[in-house]
Short mmCIF file of all heavy atoms in Angstrom, two decimals:
data_model
loop_
_atom_site.label_atom_id
_atom_site.label_comp_id
_atom_site.label_asym_id
_atom_site.label_seq_id
_atom_site.Cartn_x
_atom_site.Cartn_y
_atom_site.Cartn_z
N ASN Z 1 356.78 187.88 140.55
CA ASN Z 1 356.15 186.59 140.69
C ASN Z 1 354.90 186.55 139.81
O ASN Z 1 353.85 187.05 140.17
CB ASN Z 1 355.82 186.31 142.15
CG ASN Z 1 355.43 184.87 142.38
OD1 ASN Z 1 355.41 184.06 141.46
ND2 ASN Z 1 355.15 184.55 143.62
N THR Z 2 355.02 185.96 138.65
CA THR Z 2 353.93 185.89 137.69
C THR Z 2 353.02 184.71 138.00
O THR Z 2 353.48 183.61 138.27
CB THR Z 2 354.49 185.73 136.26
OG1 THR Z 2 355.39 186.81 136.01
CG2 THR Z 2 353.39 185.75 135.24
N LEU Z 3 351.72 184.98 137.95
CA LEU Z 3 350.74 183.93 138.20
C LEU Z 3 350.45 183.17 136.93
O LEU Z 3 350.46 183.74 135.83
CB LEU Z 3 349.44 184.55 138.73
CG LEU Z 3 349.53 185.30 140.05
CD1 LEU Z 3 348.19 185.94 140.36
CD2 LEU Z 3 349.95 184.39 141.16
N THR Z 4 350.16 181.89 137.07
CA THR Z 4 349.75 181.09 135.92
C THR Z 4 348.30 181.41 135.59
O THR Z 4 347.56 181.98 136.41
CB THR Z 4 349.88 179.59 136.21
OG1 THR Z 4 348.92 179.24 137.22
CG2 THR Z 4 351.29 179.21 136.64
N GLU Z 5 347.89 181.04 134.40
CA GLU Z 5 346.50 181.24 133.99
C GLU Z 5 345.55 180.51 134.94
O GLU Z 5 344.49 181.04 135.30
CB GLU Z 5 346.31 180.74 132.56
CG GLU Z 5 344.96 181.06 131.98
CD GLU Z 5 344.85 180.64 130.52
OE1 GLU Z 5 345.83 180.78 129.77
OE2 GLU Z 5 343.77 180.14 130.16
N GLN Z 6 345.94 179.33 135.37
CA GLN Z 6 345.11 178.56 136.30
C GLN Z 6 344.98 179.29 137.64
O GLN Z 6 343.90 179.33 138.22
CB GLN Z 6 345.72 177.18 136.50
CG GLN Z 6 344.91 176.28 137.42
CD GLN Z 6 345.52 174.90 137.57
OE1 GLN Z 6 346.62 174.64 137.08
NE2 GLN Z 6 344.83 174.03 138.26
N GLU Z 7 346.07 179.86 138.13
CA GLU Z 7 346.02 180.61 139.39
C GLU Z 7 345.12 181.84 139.28
O GLU Z 7 344.35 182.14 140.19
CB GLU Z 7 347.43 181.02 139.82
CG GLU Z 7 348.29 179.87 140.26
CD GLU Z 7 349.73 180.26 140.46
OE1 GLU Z 7 350.28 181.03 139.63
OE2 GLU Z 7 350.33 179.79 141.45
N VAL Z 8 345.23 182.53 138.15
CA VAL Z 8 344.38 183.71 137.95
C VAL Z 8 342.91 183.31 137.91
O VAL Z 8 342.07 183.96 138.54
CB VAL Z 8 344.79 184.47 136.66
CG1 VAL Z 8 343.78 185.57 136.33
CG2 VAL Z 8 346.19 185.06 136.81
N ARG Z 9 342.59 182.24 137.21
CA ARG Z 9 341.19 181.76 137.16
C ARG Z 9 340.69 181.41 138.56
O ARG Z 9 339.58 181.76 138.94
CB ARG Z 9 341.06 180.55 136.23
CG ARG Z 9 340.97 180.91 134.77
CD ARG Z 9 340.47 179.75 133.91
NE ARG Z 9 341.18 178.49 134.16
CZ ARG Z 9 342.25 178.07 133.50
NH1 ARG Z 9 342.76 178.81 132.53
NH2 ARG Z 9 342.83 176.92 133.78
N ARG Z 10 341.53 180.70 139.32
CA ARG Z 10 341.15 180.33 140.69
C ARG Z 10 340.92 181.58 141.54
O ARG Z 10 339.94 181.69 142.27
CB ARG Z 10 342.25 179.47 141.31
CG ARG Z 10 341.94 179.04 142.75
CD ARG Z 10 343.17 178.61 143.50
NE ARG Z 10 344.04 179.78 143.65
CZ ARG Z 10 345.37 179.72 143.70
NH1 ARG Z 10 345.99 178.57 143.59
NH2 ARG Z 10 346.08 180.81 143.84
N ASN Z 11 341.82 182.55 141.41
CA ASN Z 11 341.69 183.78 142.18
C ASN Z 11 340.43 184.56 141.80
O ASN Z 11 339.74 185.10 142.66
CB ASN Z 11 342.92 184.67 141.98
CG ASN Z 11 344.17 184.08 142.61
OD1 ASN Z 11 344.10 183.13 143.38
ND2 ASN Z 11 345.31 184.63 142.25
N MET Z 12 340.14 184.61 140.50
CA MET Z 12 338.94 185.32 140.04
C MET Z 12 337.67 184.65 140.55
O MET Z 12 336.71 185.33 140.92
CB MET Z 12 338.91 185.41 138.51
CG MET Z 12 339.94 186.36 137.95
SD MET Z 12 339.59 188.05 138.44
CE MET Z 12 340.36 188.92 137.11
N ARG Z 13 337.68 183.32 140.60
CA ARG Z 13 336.53 182.59 141.18
C ARG Z 13 336.38 182.94 142.66
O ARG Z 13 335.27 183.15 143.15
CB ARG Z 13 336.70 181.08 141.02
CG ARG Z 13 336.21 180.53 139.72
CD ARG Z 13 336.08 179.01 139.72
NE ARG Z 13 337.26 178.32 140.26
CZ ARG Z 13 338.32 177.96 139.55
NH1 ARG Z 13 338.38 178.20 138.27
NH2 ARG Z 13 339.33 177.33 140.13
N SER Z 14 337.48 183.03 143.36
CA SER Z 14 337.44 183.38 144.78
C SER Z 14 336.88 184.78 144.98
O SER Z 14 336.08 185.02 145.89
CB SER Z 14 338.83 183.29 145.40
OG SER Z 14 339.29 181.96 145.38
N VAL Z 15 337.28 185.70 144.13
CA VAL Z 15 336.75 187.07 144.21
C VAL Z 15 335.25 187.06 143.94
O VAL Z 15 334.48 187.67 144.68
CB VAL Z 15 337.49 188.00 143.21
CG1 VAL Z 15 336.75 189.33 143.05
CG2 VAL Z 15 338.93 188.24 143.66
N ALA Z 16 334.83 186.35 142.90
CA ALA Z 16 333.40 186.27 142.57
C ALA Z 16 332.61 185.68 143.73
O ALA Z 16 331.52 186.17 144.06
CB ALA Z 16 333.19 185.46 141.29
N HIS Z 17 333.14 184.64 144.35
CA HIS Z 17 332.45 184.01 145.48
C HIS Z 17 332.36 184.96 146.67
O HIS Z 17 331.32 185.05 147.34
CB HIS Z 17 333.14 182.72 145.90
CG HIS Z 17 332.98 181.62 144.91
ND1 HIS Z 17 333.77 180.50 144.90
CD2 HIS Z 17 332.13 181.47 143.87
CE1 HIS Z 17 333.42 179.71 143.91
NE2 HIS Z 17 332.41 180.28 143.27
N ALA Z 18 333.45 185.68 146.95
CA ALA Z 18 333.45 186.63 148.07
C ALA Z 18 332.41 187.72 147.85
O ALA Z 18 331.67 188.10 148.77
CB ALA Z 18 334.84 187.23 148.25
N ILE Z 19 332.34 188.23 146.64
CA ILE Z 19 331.36 189.27 146.32
C ILE Z 19 329.94 188.71 146.44
O ILE Z 19 329.05 189.37 147.01
CB ILE Z 19 331.63 189.84 144.92
CG1 ILE Z 19 332.96 190.61 144.92
CG2 ILE Z 19 330.48 190.74 144.46
CD1 ILE Z 19 333.50 190.93 143.55
N ALA Z 20 329.72 187.52 145.93
CA ALA Z 20 328.40 186.89 146.02
C ALA Z 20 327.98 186.69 147.47
O ALA Z 20 326.80 186.92 147.82
CB ALA Z 20 328.39 185.57 145.27
N LEU Z 21 328.91 186.29 148.32
CA LEU Z 21 328.58 186.11 149.74
C LEU Z 21 328.16 187.42 150.38
O LEU Z 21 327.22 187.46 151.19
CB LEU Z 21 329.77 185.51 150.49
CG LEU Z 21 330.02 184.03 150.25
CD1 LEU Z 21 331.34 183.61 150.88
CD2 LEU Z 21 328.88 183.21 150.80
N GLN Z 22 328.85 188.50 150.03
CA GLN Z 22 328.47 189.80 150.57
C GLN Z 22 327.06 190.18 150.11
O GLN Z 22 326.26 190.70 150.89
CB GLN Z 22 329.48 190.88 150.13
CG GLN Z 22 330.85 190.70 150.72
CD GLN Z 22 330.83 190.74 152.24
OE1 GLN Z 22 330.43 191.74 152.83
NE2 GLN Z 22 331.24 189.66 152.87
N GLU Z 23 326.76 189.90 148.85
CA GLU Z 23 325.44 190.22 148.32
C GLU Z 23 324.36 189.38 148.98
O GLU Z 23 323.25 189.88 149.22
CB GLU Z 23 325.42 190.05 146.81
CG GLU Z 23 326.26 191.12 146.10
CD GLU Z 23 326.43 190.90 144.61
OE1 GLU Z 23 326.08 189.80 144.11
OE2 GLU Z 23 326.93 191.83 143.95
N LEU Z 24 324.67 188.13 149.30
CA LEU Z 24 323.71 187.29 150.01
C LEU Z 24 323.40 187.86 151.39
O LEU Z 24 322.30 187.67 151.92
CB LEU Z 24 324.24 185.86 150.16
CG LEU Z 24 324.19 185.00 148.91
CD1 LEU Z 24 324.93 183.68 149.15
CD2 LEU Z 24 322.75 184.74 148.50
N GLU Z 25 324.37 188.56 151.97
CA GLU Z 25 324.17 189.20 153.28
C GLU Z 25 323.48 190.55 153.15
O GLU Z 25 323.28 191.24 154.13
CB GLU Z 25 325.53 189.38 153.98
CG GLU Z 25 326.19 188.07 154.38
CD GLU Z 25 325.44 187.34 155.47
OE1 GLU Z 25 324.79 187.99 156.31
OE2 GLU Z 25 325.48 186.09 155.48
N GLY Z 26 323.18 190.93 151.90
CA GLY Z 26 322.51 192.20 151.68
C GLY Z 26 323.44 193.39 151.56
O GLY Z 26 323.01 194.53 151.64
N LEU Z 27 324.72 193.12 151.38
CA LEU Z 27 325.71 194.18 151.27
C LEU Z 27 326.11 194.39 149.81
O LEU Z 27 326.05 193.47 149.01
CB LEU Z 27 326.94 193.84 152.10
CG LEU Z 27 326.69 193.59 153.58
CD1 LEU Z 27 327.92 193.04 154.25
CD2 LEU Z 27 326.20 194.86 154.25
N LYS Z 28 326.53 195.59 149.49
CA LYS Z 28 326.98 195.92 148.14
C LYS Z 28 328.46 196.26 148.21
O LYS Z 28 328.86 197.16 148.93
CB LYS Z 28 326.18 197.11 147.60
CG LYS Z 28 326.67 197.65 146.30
CD LYS Z 28 326.31 196.74 145.15
CE LYS Z 28 326.70 197.38 143.81
NZ LYS Z 28 327.56 196.57 143.01
N VAL Z 29 329.26 195.52 147.47
CA VAL Z 29 330.70 195.79 147.41
C VAL Z 29 330.92 196.93 146.42
O VAL Z 29 330.47 196.84 145.26
CB VAL Z 29 331.49 194.54 146.97
CG1 VAL Z 29 332.97 194.83 146.91
CG2 VAL Z 29 331.21 193.37 147.92
N PRO Z 30 331.57 198.00 146.84
CA PRO Z 30 331.80 199.13 145.93
C PRO Z 30 332.58 198.69 144.69
O PRO Z 30 333.47 197.83 144.76
CB PRO Z 30 332.64 200.11 146.77
CG PRO Z 30 332.35 199.73 148.19
CD PRO Z 30 332.11 198.25 148.18
N GLU Z 31 332.25 199.31 143.55
CA GLU Z 31 332.90 198.96 142.29
C GLU Z 31 334.42 199.13 142.37
O GLU Z 31 335.16 198.34 141.79
CB GLU Z 31 332.33 199.78 141.14
CG GLU Z 31 330.94 199.35 140.73
CD GLU Z 31 330.86 197.89 140.32
OE1 GLU Z 31 331.75 197.40 139.59
OE2 GLU Z 31 329.91 197.22 140.73
N ALA Z 32 334.88 200.16 143.07
CA ALA Z 32 336.33 200.37 143.19
C ALA Z 32 336.98 199.20 143.92
O ALA Z 32 338.09 198.77 143.56
CB ALA Z 32 336.62 201.68 143.93
N THR Z 33 336.31 198.65 144.91
CA THR Z 33 336.84 197.50 145.64
C THR Z 33 336.83 196.26 144.76
O THR Z 33 337.80 195.50 144.76
CB THR Z 33 336.02 197.25 146.92
OG1 THR Z 33 336.09 198.43 147.74
CG2 THR Z 33 336.54 196.06 147.69
N VAL Z 34 335.77 196.07 144.00
CA VAL Z 34 335.71 194.94 143.06
C VAL Z 34 336.88 195.04 142.08
O VAL Z 34 337.57 194.05 141.82
CB VAL Z 34 334.36 194.90 142.32
CG1 VAL Z 34 334.37 193.85 141.22
CG2 VAL Z 34 333.22 194.65 143.30
N ALA Z 35 337.11 196.23 141.54
CA ALA Z 35 338.21 196.42 140.59
C ALA Z 35 339.55 196.11 141.25
O ALA Z 35 340.41 195.46 140.65
CB ALA Z 35 338.19 197.85 140.04
N ASP Z 36 339.74 196.59 142.49
CA ASP Z 36 340.99 196.31 143.22
C ASP Z 36 341.16 194.82 143.45
O ASP Z 36 342.26 194.28 143.29
CB ASP Z 36 341.00 197.03 144.56
CG ASP Z 36 341.42 198.49 144.46
OD1 ASP Z 36 341.92 198.90 143.39
OD2 ASP Z 36 341.27 199.21 145.47
N LEU Z 37 340.08 194.14 143.84
CA LEU Z 37 340.16 192.70 144.09
C LEU Z 37 340.52 191.93 142.82
O LEU Z 37 341.31 190.99 142.86
CB LEU Z 37 338.84 192.19 144.67
CG LEU Z 37 338.53 192.64 146.10
CD1 LEU Z 37 337.09 192.29 146.46
CD2 LEU Z 37 339.50 192.02 147.08
N ARG Z 38 339.97 192.37 141.71
CA ARG Z 38 340.29 191.71 140.44
C ARG Z 38 341.74 191.97 140.04
O ARG Z 38 342.41 191.07 139.51
CB ARG Z 38 339.33 192.18 139.36
CG ARG Z 38 337.93 191.61 139.56
CD ARG Z 38 336.96 192.09 138.52
NE ARG Z 38 335.65 191.47 138.75
CZ ARG Z 38 334.50 192.01 138.37
NH1 ARG Z 38 334.49 193.16 137.72
NH2 ARG Z 38 333.37 191.38 138.62
N ARG Z 39 342.23 193.18 140.29
CA ARG Z 39 343.64 193.47 140.01
C ARG Z 39 344.55 192.59 140.86
O ARG Z 39 345.56 192.08 140.39
CB ARG Z 39 343.94 194.95 140.27
CG ARG Z 39 343.33 195.87 139.23
CD ARG Z 39 343.47 197.36 139.53
NE ARG Z 39 344.78 197.74 139.98
CZ ARG Z 39 345.02 198.60 140.96
NH1 ARG Z 39 344.02 199.18 141.61
NH2 ARG Z 39 346.24 198.91 141.31
N ALA Z 40 344.17 192.41 142.12
CA ALA Z 40 344.96 191.54 143.01
C ALA Z 40 344.88 190.09 142.54
O ALA Z 40 345.88 189.37 142.58
CB ALA Z 40 344.47 191.67 144.45
N ALA Z 41 343.71 189.68 142.09
CA ALA Z 41 343.54 188.29 141.61
C ALA Z 41 344.44 188.01 140.41
O ALA Z 41 344.93 186.89 140.24
CB ALA Z 41 342.07 188.04 141.25
N ARG Z 42 344.67 189.03 139.60
CA ARG Z 42 345.56 188.88 138.44
C ARG Z 42 347.03 189.03 138.81
O ARG Z 42 347.90 188.80 137.98
CB ARG Z 42 345.21 189.92 137.36
CG ARG Z 42 343.89 189.68 136.68
CD ARG Z 42 343.70 190.61 135.48
NE ARG Z 42 343.80 192.03 135.83
CZ ARG Z 42 342.77 192.80 136.20
NH1 ARG Z 42 341.56 192.28 136.26
NH2 ARG Z 42 342.96 194.06 136.48
N GLY Z 43 347.28 189.47 140.05
CA GLY Z 43 348.66 189.66 140.48
C GLY Z 43 349.22 191.03 140.13
O GLY Z 43 350.43 191.26 140.23
N ASP Z 44 348.35 191.96 139.71
CA ASP Z 44 348.80 193.30 139.34
C ASP Z 44 349.15 194.15 140.55
O ASP Z 44 349.97 195.06 140.44
CB ASP Z 44 347.72 194.01 138.51
CG ASP Z 44 347.44 193.32 137.19
OD1 ASP Z 44 348.32 192.58 136.70
OD2 ASP Z 44 346.33 193.50 136.65
N VAL Z 45 348.49 193.90 141.67
CA VAL Z 45 348.76 194.61 142.93
C VAL Z 45 348.71 193.60 144.06
O VAL Z 45 348.14 192.51 143.91
CB VAL Z 45 347.73 195.74 143.20
CG1 VAL Z 45 347.78 196.81 142.13
CG2 VAL Z 45 346.33 195.20 143.36
N GLY Z 46 349.25 193.98 145.18
CA GLY Z 46 349.21 193.11 146.34
C GLY Z 46 347.96 193.35 147.17
O GLY Z 46 347.29 194.38 147.04
N THR Z 47 347.64 192.39 147.99
CA THR Z 47 346.45 192.53 148.84
C THR Z 47 346.63 193.68 149.84
O THR Z 47 345.64 194.28 150.26
CB THR Z 47 346.14 191.23 149.60
OG1 THR Z 47 347.31 190.80 150.29
CG2 THR Z 47 345.68 190.15 148.63
N ASP Z 48 347.87 194.01 150.18
CA ASP Z 48 348.10 195.13 151.10
C ASP Z 48 347.59 196.44 150.50
O ASP Z 48 347.00 197.26 151.20
CB ASP Z 48 349.57 195.24 151.48
CG ASP Z 48 350.49 195.37 150.27
OD1 ASP Z 48 350.18 194.81 149.20
OD2 ASP Z 48 351.55 196.01 150.41
N GLU Z 49 347.75 196.61 149.19
CA GLU Z 49 347.24 197.82 148.54
C GLU Z 49 345.71 197.82 148.53
O GLU Z 49 345.09 198.85 148.75
CB GLU Z 49 347.76 197.93 147.11
CG GLU Z 49 347.31 199.19 146.41
CD GLU Z 49 347.94 199.38 145.04
OE1 GLU Z 49 349.02 198.82 144.78
OE2 GLU Z 49 347.32 200.08 144.22
N VAL Z 50 345.11 196.67 148.29
CA VAL Z 50 343.64 196.57 148.30
C VAL Z 50 343.11 196.95 149.69
O VAL Z 50 342.17 197.74 149.80
CB VAL Z 50 343.18 195.14 147.91
CG1 VAL Z 50 341.67 195.02 148.04
CG2 VAL Z 50 343.64 194.80 146.50
N ILE Z 51 343.74 196.43 150.71
CA ILE Z 51 343.30 196.73 152.08
C ILE Z 51 343.45 198.21 152.39
O ILE Z 51 342.55 198.84 152.96
CB ILE Z 51 344.08 195.85 153.09
CG1 ILE Z 51 343.66 194.39 152.91
CG2 ILE Z 51 343.84 196.34 154.52
CD1 ILE Z 51 344.55 193.40 153.63
N ARG Z 52 344.58 198.81 152.00
CA ARG Z 52 344.77 200.25 152.23
C ARG Z 52 343.67 201.05 151.52
O ARG Z 52 343.14 202.01 152.09
CB ARG Z 52 346.14 200.70 151.72
CG ARG Z 52 347.26 200.49 152.70
CD ARG Z 52 348.52 201.24 152.32
NE ARG Z 52 348.97 200.98 150.95
CZ ARG Z 52 349.76 199.97 150.60
NH1 ARG Z 52 350.19 199.13 151.52
NH2 ARG Z 52 350.13 199.82 149.35
N ASN Z 53 343.33 200.65 150.30
CA ASN Z 53 342.29 201.37 149.55
C ASN Z 53 340.92 201.22 150.21
O ASN Z 53 340.11 202.16 150.18
CB ASN Z 53 342.23 200.88 148.11
CG ASN Z 53 343.44 201.33 147.31
OD1 ASN Z 53 344.16 202.24 147.70
ND2 ASN Z 53 343.67 200.67 146.20
N ILE Z 54 340.65 200.06 150.79
CA ILE Z 54 339.38 199.85 151.49
C ILE Z 54 339.30 200.75 152.72
O ILE Z 54 338.27 201.36 153.00
CB ILE Z 54 339.20 198.37 151.88
CG1 ILE Z 54 338.97 197.52 150.62
CG2 ILE Z 54 338.04 198.20 152.87
CD1 ILE Z 54 339.03 196.03 150.86
N TYR Z 55 340.40 200.84 153.47
CA TYR Z 55 340.41 201.62 154.71
C TYR Z 55 340.56 203.12 154.50
O TYR Z 55 340.24 203.90 155.38
CB TYR Z 55 341.53 201.14 155.63
CG TYR Z 55 341.25 199.84 156.31
CD1 TYR Z 55 342.15 198.78 156.22
CD2 TYR Z 55 340.10 199.65 157.05
CE1 TYR Z 55 341.90 197.57 156.86
CE2 TYR Z 55 339.83 198.45 157.69
CZ TYR Z 55 340.74 197.42 157.58
OH TYR Z 55 340.50 196.23 158.21
N ARG Z 56 341.05 203.53 153.33
CA ARG Z 56 341.34 204.95 153.09
C ARG Z 56 340.20 205.89 153.44
O ARG Z 56 340.42 206.91 154.11
CB ARG Z 56 341.79 205.15 151.64
CG ARG Z 56 342.27 206.56 151.37
CD ARG Z 56 342.97 206.69 150.03
NE ARG Z 56 344.30 206.07 150.16
CZ ARG Z 56 344.75 205.08 149.37
NH1 ARG Z 56 344.00 204.61 148.41
NH2 ARG Z 56 345.94 204.57 149.55
N PRO Z 57 338.95 205.61 153.09
CA PRO Z 57 337.86 206.54 153.44
C PRO Z 57 337.62 206.65 154.95
O PRO Z 57 336.94 207.57 155.40
CB PRO Z 57 336.63 205.95 152.76
CG PRO Z 57 337.14 205.01 151.73
CD PRO Z 57 338.46 204.53 152.23
N PHE Z 58 338.17 205.72 155.71
CA PHE Z 58 337.92 205.69 157.15
C PHE Z 58 339.16 206.09 157.96
O PHE Z 58 339.31 205.68 159.10
CB PHE Z 58 337.48 204.28 157.57
CG PHE Z 58 336.32 203.76 156.78
CD1 PHE Z 58 336.50 202.80 155.80
CD2 PHE Z 58 335.05 204.26 157.00
CE1 PHE Z 58 335.44 202.33 155.05
CE2 PHE Z 58 333.97 203.80 156.26
CZ PHE Z 58 334.17 202.83 155.28
N LYS Z 59 340.06 206.89 157.36
CA LYS Z 59 341.33 207.20 158.00
C LYS Z 59 341.17 207.90 159.36
O LYS Z 59 342.06 207.83 160.18
CB LYS Z 59 342.21 208.01 157.08
CG LYS Z 59 341.66 209.35 156.70
CD LYS Z 59 342.55 210.02 155.70
CE LYS Z 59 341.88 211.29 155.20
NZ LYS Z 59 342.60 211.87 154.10
N ASN Z 60 340.05 208.56 159.60
CA ASN Z 60 339.83 209.25 160.87
C ASN Z 60 339.07 208.43 161.88
O ASN Z 60 338.72 208.92 162.94
CB ASN Z 60 339.12 210.59 160.62
CG ASN Z 60 339.99 211.53 159.83
OD1 ASN Z 60 341.20 211.61 160.03
ND2 ASN Z 60 339.39 212.24 158.90
N VAL Z 61 338.81 207.17 161.55
CA VAL Z 61 338.09 206.29 162.46
C VAL Z 61 339.10 205.29 163.01
O VAL Z 61 339.55 204.40 162.30
CB VAL Z 61 336.94 205.54 161.73
CG1 VAL Z 61 336.20 204.64 162.69
CG2 VAL Z 61 336.00 206.55 161.06
N PRO Z 62 339.50 205.45 164.29
CA PRO Z 62 340.58 204.62 164.85
C PRO Z 62 340.37 203.12 164.70
O PRO Z 62 341.31 202.39 164.46
CB PRO Z 62 340.60 205.01 166.32
CG PRO Z 62 339.95 206.35 166.39
CD PRO Z 62 338.96 206.39 165.25
N ILE Z 63 339.13 202.63 164.79
CA ILE Z 63 338.91 201.19 164.74
C ILE Z 63 339.23 200.62 163.36
O ILE Z 63 339.51 199.45 163.21
CB ILE Z 63 337.46 200.86 165.14
CG1 ILE Z 63 337.34 199.38 165.46
CG2 ILE Z 63 336.47 201.27 164.07
CD1 ILE Z 63 336.06 198.99 166.16
N PHE Z 64 339.23 201.46 162.33
CA PHE Z 64 339.48 200.99 160.98
C PHE Z 64 340.93 201.14 160.56
O PHE Z 64 341.27 200.85 159.43
CB PHE Z 64 338.59 201.73 159.98
CG PHE Z 64 337.18 201.24 160.00
CD1 PHE Z 64 336.18 202.04 160.53
CD2 PHE Z 64 336.84 200.01 159.51
CE1 PHE Z 64 334.88 201.59 160.57
CE2 PHE Z 64 335.55 199.54 159.54
CZ PHE Z 64 334.55 200.35 160.08
N ARG Z 65 341.79 201.56 161.43
CA ARG Z 65 343.19 201.71 161.06
C ARG Z 65 343.87 200.35 161.09
O ARG Z 65 343.91 199.68 162.12
CB ARG Z 65 343.91 202.65 162.02
CG ARG Z 65 343.45 204.07 161.81
CD ARG Z 65 344.32 205.05 162.53
NE ARG Z 65 343.77 206.38 162.32
CZ ARG Z 65 343.89 207.36 163.17
NH1 ARG Z 65 344.56 207.20 164.27
NH2 ARG Z 65 343.35 208.52 162.90
N PRO Z 66 344.39 199.94 159.92
CA PRO Z 66 345.06 198.61 159.86
C PRO Z 66 346.40 198.62 160.58
O PRO Z 66 346.97 199.63 160.83
CB PRO Z 66 345.24 198.37 158.38
CG PRO Z 66 345.05 199.69 157.70
CD PRO Z 66 344.32 200.58 158.63
#
């Protein structure tokens, strides 16, 4: 399922807005997560992979298991 250029632009704007909101809250989004989100915005990976990558460092914390 290939995304159109317009869809990719829309997705990239959404990623930028999500990151900006986190920064407004005083949080820093890790660069690896930003890269994953951008890959998902382009349609290179699914959001399920992004979520797994976010949770991976917390595999021993039961509350973070998706």
Side-chain angles (χ1 to χ4, degrees):
N1 192 0
T2 304
L3 298 175
T4 67
E5 187 176 321
Q6 182 178 6
E7 290 170 318
V8 171
R9 279 196 310 268
R10 180 199 65 211
N11 291 348
M12 288 295 206
R13 274 194 313 272
S14 295
V15 167
H17 290 164
I19 292 166
L21 285 172
Q22 293 301 299
E23 291 172 349
L24 285 172
E25 293 292 329
L27 302 171
K28 172 75 174 124
V29 180
E31 287 302 317
T33 301
V34 172
D36 278 348
L37 290 169
R38 289 178 178 154
R39 288 174 45 221
R42 290 189 303 269
D44 297 337
V45 298
T47 53
D48 56 329
E49 183 174 336
V50 175
I51 292 168
R52 276 194 306 273
N53 289 343
I54 291 169
Y55 285 127
R56 187 168 285 124
F58 307 105
K59 62 185 173 189
N60 295 321
V61 180
I63 196 167
F64 284 108
R65 289 192 183 151

